[in-house]
C-alpha cells in the first residue's frame, strides 16, 4: 500500500465538457493558494531542511528558469525529471513553400509531468467533498487562435469559455466578462457586441485589445438557471492567462 504523504480536496461539478452522459461530473481541486518561487524556496528550508538559504535557492532557481527559457526559445527540449518542456508551432501551412506568419501561426511552450512527479501520484489521497454548491464556475477556456487551453490569450480573436451557469444575464451594471491584470488590477470588460455566444455552459467572446501581461478571467452574472439572482455572483478561472 502506498505511503500517503499528501492530501488533495476536490468538489464535483456538472461535466459540461462531454456530451455523452448528461449526468456525469468532473472533479475540481480546491486550491489553497498559488505559491511563487520565493515561497517554495522558503518552504524547502523550513519544511524540507534544505542546506542552503532560501534567498540563495531563489536566486539559483531564477537563474535556472531564465536559462531554461533561453534554451527553449532556441528550440531545445527540456527534461528536468519533474517536468518536460518543448516548443511547439501551431497553425496550418497551406504549401511546402509557405513561411511562418505571426498573423496565422503561433509559438507556444508545452509543459508535461515528468517521471519524478508521476512517481508521487500514488502518495496522494483525494478527498471528494461532494457536489459543489450550485453556483457559476469556469472549468476551461480555449484560445481559438493558438489552440492553447487555460494558457494563452490572443487579443482580437475568440476565446471559448466552458463552465456551468456562466450565461451573462441580469440588470446589475457590473455584470459581464472581465480580464483582470494580475499586476495592476485593471479590469477590462468585454463589450456586449463582442459576446459571440452566451449560453449557460459556454461563452464565446472576442478578447479585448489587452496589453502584454498576465490576467485573471472573471464572469459576473445574475443568471440562476431560472429566476434571476438578486445579487450578481462571480466565477473566476483558477488558471492565469497570458498575453505575450
Amino acid at each position: 500500500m502506498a505511503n500517503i504523504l499528501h492530501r488533495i480536496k476536490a468538489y464535483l461539478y456538472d461535466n459540461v465538457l462531454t456530451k455523452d452522459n448528461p449526468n456525469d461530473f468532473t472533479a475540481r481541486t480546491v486550491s489553497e493558494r498559488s505559491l511563487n518561487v520565493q515561497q517554495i524556496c522558503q518552504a524547502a528550508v523550513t519544511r524540507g531542511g534544505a542546506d542552503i538559504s532560501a534567498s540563495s535557492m531563489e536566486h539559483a532557481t531564477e537563474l535556472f528558469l531564465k536559462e531554461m527559457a533561453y534554451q527553449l526559445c532556441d528550440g531545445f527540449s527540456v527534461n528536468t525529471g519533474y517536468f518536460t518542456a518543448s516548443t511547439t508551432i501551431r497553425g496550418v501551412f497551406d504549401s511546402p513553400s509557405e513561411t511562418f506568419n505571426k498573423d496565422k501561426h503561433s509559438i507556444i511552450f508545452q509543459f508535461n509531468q515528468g517521471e519524478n512527479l508521476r512517481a508521487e501520484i500514488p502518495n496522494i489521497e483525494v478527498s471528494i467533498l461532494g457536489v459543489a454548491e450550485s453556483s457559476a464556475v469556469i472549468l476551461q477556456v480555449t484560445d481559438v487562435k493558438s489552440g492553447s487551453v487555460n494558457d494563452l490569450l490572443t487579443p482580437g480573436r475568440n476565446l471559448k469559455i466552458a463552465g456551468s451557469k456562466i450565461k451573462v444575464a441580469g440588470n446589475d451594471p457590473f455584470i459581464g466578462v472581465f480580464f483582470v491584470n494580475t499586476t495592476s488590477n485593471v479590469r477590462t470588460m468585454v463589450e456586449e457586441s463582442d459576446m459571440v455566444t452566451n449560453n449557460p455552459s459556454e461563452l464565446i467572446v472576442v478578447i479585448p485589445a489587452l496589453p502584454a501581461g498576465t490576467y485573471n478571467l472573471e464572469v459576473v452574472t445574475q443568471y440562476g438557471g431560472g429566476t434571476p439572482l438578486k445579487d450578481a455572483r462571480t466565477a473566476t478561472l483558477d488558471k492565469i492567462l497570458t498575453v505575450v
Side-chain angles (χ1 to χ4, degrees), residues 126-173:
V126 178
S127 298
I128 301 296
L129 304 178
V131 177
E133 180 184 352
S134 181
S135 60
V137 61
I138 303 171
L139 298 174
Q140 178 178 291
V141 301
T142 304
D143 182 70
V144 175
K145 170 64 167 60
S146 67
S148 70
V149 176
N150 297 338
D151 185 12
L152 298 180
L153 295 172
T154 306
R157 304 300 287 268
N158 285 353
L159 182 72
K160 290 184 178 180
I161 307 170
S164 178
K165 296 186 177 181
I166 55 173
K167 180 177 181 179
V168 177
N171 53 20
D172 189 306

Side-chain angles (χ1 to χ4, degrees), residues 8 24 31 57 84 91 93 102 104 111 137 140 143-144 164 173 175 181 226 229 237:
I8 292 176
D24 62 355
S31 179
M57 183 182 295
T84 61
F93 291 79
K102 289 186 177 181
K104 183 179 178 182
F111 291 78
V137 61
Q140 178 178 291
D143 182 70
V144 175
S164 178
I175 67 169
N181 188 286
L229 300 174
L237 181 68

Side-chain angles (χ1 to χ4, degrees), residues 92-144:
V92 176
F93 291 79
D94 296 322
S95 71
S97 60
E98 184 175 2
T99 59
F100 182 86
N101 183 342
K102 289 186 177 181
D103 294 328
K104 183 179 178 182
H105 310 112
S106 59
I107 299 172
I108 67 169
F109 300 106
Q110 290 188 315
F111 291 78
N112 296 289
Q113 61 186 9
E115 293 182 6
N116 291 350
L117 202 55
R118 281 196 297 271
E120 292 295 329
I121 293 176
N123 301 322
I124 302 174
E125 179 183 82
V126 178
S127 298
I128 301 296
L129 304 178
V131 177
E133 180 184 352
S134 181
S135 60
V137 61
I138 303 171
L139 298 174
Q140 178 178 291
V141 301
T142 304
D143 182 70
V144 175

Side-chain angles (χ1 to χ4, degrees), residues 213-229:
T214 54
Y215 295 84
N216 286 309
L217 174 68
E218 294 182 357
V219 175
V220 184
T221 180
Q222 288 176 272
Y223 178 76
T227 304
L229 300 174

Side-chain angles (χ1 to χ4, degrees), residues 160-189:
K160 290 184 178 180
I161 307 170
S164 178
K165 296 186 177 181
I166 55 173
K167 180 177 181 179
V168 177
N171 53 20
D172 189 306
F174 298 103
I175 67 169
V177 178
F178 297 87
F179 295 89
V180 186
N181 188 286
T182 60
T183 301
S184 65
N185 288 321
V186 171
R187 299 169 61 82
T188 303
M189 182 179 181

Side-chain angles (χ1 to χ4, degrees), residues 37-112:
V37 171
Q38 182 183 45
Q39 291 167 323
I40 292 173
C41 291
Q42 185 62 50
V45 173
T46 57
R47 184 209 58 81
D51 59 357
I52 63 173
S53 68
S55 59
S56 296
M57 183 182 295
E58 181 183 358
H59 178 65
T61 301
E62 294 289 359
L63 291 176
F64 168 80
L65 293 174
K66 183 177 180 179
E67 184 61 27
M68 180 186 72
Y70 186 95
Q71 299 297 339
L72 284 170
C73 289
D74 273 344
F76 288 94
S77 296
V78 173
N79 186 349
T80 68
Y82 288 91
F83 64 84
T84 61
S86 60
T87 310
T88 301
I89 297 174
R90 290 282 179 87
V92 176
F93 291 79
D94 296 322
S95 71
S97 60
E98 184 175 2
T99 59
F100 182 86
N101 183 342
K102 289 186 177 181
D103 294 328
K104 183 179 178 182
H105 310 112
S106 59
I107 299 172
I108 67 169
F109 300 106
Q110 290 188 315
F111 291 78
N112 296 289

